[in-house]
Amino acid sequence: MNNVRVIVAGPRGKMGSEALRMIEKEEGLELAACIDRKHNGEQVKDLKGLPAFDAFIYEDIEECFQAVEADILVDLTTPAFGYKHTKTALEYGIRPVVGTTGFTTAQLEELTDLAEEKELGVVIAPNFALGAVLMMQFSKWAAKYFPDVEIIERHHDNKLDAPSGTAVKTAQLIQEARESKQQGHPQEKETIEGARGADIDGMKIHSVRLPGLVAHQEVVFGSSGQNLTIKHDSFHRESFMSGVKLAIDHVQKLDVLVYGLENLLD
Ligand SMILES: NC(=O)C1=CN([C@@H]2O[C@H](COP(=O)(O)OP(=O)(O)OC[C@H]3O[C@@H](n4cnc5c(N)ncnc54)[C@H](OP(=O)(O)O)[C@@H]3O)[C@@H](O)[C@H]2O)C=CC1
Ligand SMILES: O=C(O)C1=N[C@H](C(=O)O)C[C@H](O)C1
């Protein structure tokens, strides 16, 4: 069988470089090219700290898609570029696997429609770590019995988007399991704006950004006389890679957009 040819966008990044190391280890995957905003025309092996791939780096995504034959784009960049890259990949018949977070609901809807129109699979996963996917599923289950819930997510201080994609997805899953609920005291007032965090359907989300952190989330449920906390920690970005591989395997058989890795698990 032919190797699956993958283009990685964001190869110098924390996640992109980890994805390159995963592709290097996985039989059946081949790095076709990289998309970066620097180093046009250089080879990946020329860049310090990255695996010794001969694949070339392109700054212009269209030039890359025109020059290189590929099956899949793995995007691990920024919200603005990730959206543009995903759209362009679909235009060129390449299936996107997207870890980049921070897309708006309107962007997700637009990409869903485009994938359907092109009959091409897309996987957008706010979190590729299996433990985080389970944390979200357990939270959805718990919300049926404990509708009062707040989400505390903690990340490294280089993160661009807040709240995290995982926190937003968790809140959306909880919304599916509980009635809409305005939490806290009906007359509560913030004496400093933002003190109660972000709000999704009455649920509060608190975002912590500190050096030393990787990716962590607690979902705290409150009820009379008891609390339930569901917690997940990613201590290393390798934790996301089995999920990236799973998405690469599945996306080739899909002809629609799938949002969330839980939709690919048995
Ligand atoms: N789904 C999941 O499981 C996970 C998702 N993420 C998400 O993945 C994304 C990347 O995270 P992370 O690796 O930590 O971030 P980094 O900042 O470490 O990496 C992002 C990389 O993208 C590069 N970049 C910026 N603009 C472009 C562009 N136009 N074309 C190509 N590359 C570009 C950056 O270059 P430069 O350095 O020059 O700015 C950088 O190398 C984020 O959205 C994050 O939230 C993160 C972890 C897990
Ligand atoms: O930026 C990160 O680091 C992470 N981003 C994703 C998110 O926004 O949820 C996934 C994970 O939490 C790490």
Side-chain angles (χ1 to χ4, degrees):
M1 230 170 64
N2 289 343
N3 280 345
V4 177
R5 288 175 58 79
V6 181
I7 295 176
V8 173
R12 286 177 299 110
K14 292 181 282 299
M15 281 291 283
S17 56
E18 201 60 50
L20 293 187
R21 286 186 277 278
M22 182 272 288
I23 291 169
E24 189 182 35
K25 274 192 264 171
E26 285 292 338
E27 266 183 45
L29 296 187
E30 187 179 333
L31 185 71
C34 284
I35 295 161
D36 201 341
R37 59 191 194 101
K38 292 180 187 165
H39 304 289
N40 194 43
E42 291 182 54
Q43 287 174 291
V44 173
K45 66 183 178 193
D46 300 331
L47 270 57
K48 213 174 138 211
L50 296 189
F53 284 112
D54 288 332
F56 282 94
I57 297 168
Y58 292 81
E59 282 178 27
D60 185 317
I61 190 165
E62 299 221 25
E63 191 189 327
C64 177
F65 290 160
Q66 282 158 18
V68 176
E69 232 177 80
D71 305 296
I72 286 164
L73 168 75
V74 172
D75 191 274
L76 298 159
T77 59
T78 63
F81 284 102
Y83 164 69
K84 187 183 146 218
H85 292 165
T86 307
K87 217 173 142 181
T88 313
L90 285 172
E91 300 291 358
Y92 277 82
I94 293 171
R95 291 177 153 83
V97 167
V98 182
T100 305
T101 50
F103 291 3
T104 63
T105 305
Q107 286 174 332
L108 286 171
E109 281 169 6
E110 195 191 332
L111 292 170
T112 302
D113 291 346
L114 187 59
E116 195 180 324
E117 183 196 317
K118 301 280 178 193
E119 295 181 14
L120 283 172
V122 181
V123 176
I124 300 182
N127 202 313
F128 284 117
L130 183 60
V133 177
L134 292 175
M135 166 193 62
M136 289 187 258
Q137 291 299 305
F138 295 156
S139 299
K140 180 178 175 180
W141 185 25
K144 206 171 144 190
Y145 309 100
F146 294 87
D148 286 272
V149 51
E150 304 215 358
I151 299 171
I152 306 163
E153 55 99 339
R154 298 185 174 85
H155 282 83
H156 57 92
D157 60 347
N158 286 315
K159 186 161 177 60
L160 291 179
D161 53 318
S164 71
T166 307
V168 174
K169 176 76 183 171
T170 308
Q172 289 167 344
L173 288 169
I174 289 173
Q175 260 183 309
E176 289 172 21
R178 71 164 205 180
E179 299 291 316
S180 180
K181 185 161 203 256
Q182 224 40 57
Q183 295 178 201
H185 195 286
Q187 276 138 31
E188 77 180 8
K189 253 198 181 71
E190 290 180 331
T191 54
I192 299 177
E193 201 186 317
R196 290 287 288 122
D199 189 299
I200 296 185
D201 200 25
M203 251 174 283
K204 301 296 180 189
I205 304 182
H206 311 274
S207 297
V208 179
R209 297 290 177 264
L210 284 172
L213 294 171
V214 178
H216 317 264
Q217 181 169 291
E218 276 172 54
V219 188
V220 187
F221 296 88
S223 176
S224 181
Q226 59 179 323
N227 274 191
L228 168 69
T229 302
I230 302 173
K231 183 170 185 277
H232 177 260
D233 297 279
S234 270
F235 299 111
H236 192 287
R237 289 177 181 83
E238 211 180 333
S239 62
F240 302 112
M241 291 305 132
S242 55
V244 176
K245 173 66 169 56
L246 181 88
I248 290 174
D249 291 344
H250 276 77
V251 79
Q252 297 169 80
K253 298 170 232 150
L254 293 172
D255 57 7
V256 291
L257 184 147
V258 164
Y259 176 55
L261 210 65
E262 70 278 8
N263 298 302
L264 306 180
L265 300 173
D266 296 334

